[in-house]
Amino acid sequence: MSGPTPLDLPPRASKDVEKYLLPDETAVVATRRHWAVLIEPTVKFLPVFVAGAWLLLFDPENRVTSSAGLLVIVAALVYYGLRVGEWWMRHFIVSTRRVLLTSGVIVRTVTLLPLRRITDLTWKETLLGQVLGYGTFRFESAGQQQALSEITFLPGADVLYRRVSALLFSSDWGSGGGGGGGAASMGDDEGNPEPPQAPPPAQGGRQDTEPIPRVT
């Protein structure tokens, strides 16, 4: 039986893996989202920052416009700093038992989905995603709608898709038996191993274990 290869993780992702994974779990994927997720915040930030700088420098002697410009600059920097911090702190983690998404700068949030509940995995790349190298994962799961159903801006999504698919639907990391079906087909809803089943009774003959007394 071959297991998942240990990952060489950056410090921030390594802290999340160490903190949120159980002792018997191994991280198969651990990555933050692609830097392209910052394109939209940057497009929003730059015009506001430039407007604030213009107000600040247009008439330095005018305290009203200077103060307004300074406030606009500070607000723009706080907004952009939070977006960058959120990108830096958010990690998409797939272990041998669960899918996790850690997020939050001030308040940390961990959203998880047991592998056992995943019934299908869809990978989508837009035209821009193909150029820049990112894609979207969509998880379909049994039961009610899950909070962790779509992860956008995943870097190298084609490689991640193959790794996660092998974990879910192949026997590479299964139980090692001849008919292994991957992590998605093993254990209960939380990924715990199923209890061993008692062997079926033998067909025909007596079912007790007492010896037959000899007739004299």
Side-chain angles (χ1 to χ4, degrees):
M1 177 180 67
S2 60
T5 304
L7 300 177
D8 184 16
L9 302 176
R12 179 65 253 179
S14 180
K15 289 181 180 179
D16 280 353
V17 167
E18 181 179 354
K19 185 175 182 180
Y20 299 119
L21 293 192
L22 300 176
D24 59 343
E25 287 182 282
T26 301
V28 178
V29 171
T31 181
R32 63 173 54 94
R33 295 199 294 173
H34 194 276
W35 59 263
V37 74
L38 296 175
I39 292 178
E40 182 179 348
T42 302
V43 170
K44 295 179 178 179
F45 160 76
L46 284 178
V48 178
F49 181 82
V50 171
W54 181 82
L55 286 174
L56 181 64
L57 301 176
F58 176 71
D59 187 1
E61 301 299 327
N62 189 325
R63 303 181 67 177
V64 175
T65 57
S66 298
S67 298
L70 183 60
L71 289 176
V72 170
I73 290 175
V74 170
L77 289 174
V78 169
Y79 163 79
Y80 195 62
L82 287 175
R83 298 288 80 76
V84 173
E86 172 63 23
W87 166 75
W88 184 261
M89 296 291 288
R90 175 174 292 192
H91 287 97
F92 172 68
I93 301 171
V94 180
S95 76
T96 49
R97 292 178 61 181
R98 299 177 293 172
V99 176
L100 301 94
L101 183 66
T102 65
S103 59
V105 178
I106 300 175
V107 178
R108 297 290 284 163
T109 301
V110 181
T111 307
L112 64 90
L113 174 63
L115 292 180
R116 183 66 176 82
R117 296 192 178 183
I118 298 176
T119 58
D120 199 6
L121 173 63
T122 302
W123 158 44
K124 180 179 68 176
E125 273 186 330
T126 63
L127 179 59
L128 183 60
Q130 295 177 46
V131 173
L132 297 181
Y134 68 85
T136 297
F137 275 11
R138 183 186 298 275
F139 295 101
E140 295 183 16
S141 58
Q144 61 184 4
Q145 180 69 21
Q146 299 288 336
L148 188 58
S149 59
E150 184 174 278
I151 310 295
T152 59
F153 293 97
L154 286 177
D158 54 341
V159 177
L160 298 185
Y161 179 80
R162 288 193 293 270
R163 289 183 65 88
V164 176
S165 295
L167 177 62
L168 289 174
F169 307 120
S170 81
S171 60
D172 291 346
W173 298 316
S175 60
S185 61
M186 296 171 54
D188 58 16
D189 283 346
E190 301 301 326
N192 299 312
E194 294 281 8
Q197 297 182 357
Q203 298 295 326
R206 295 174 58 90
Q207 303 299 318
D208 59 84
T209 58
E210 294 294 330
I212 301 174
R214 175 179 296 181
V215 178
T216 57

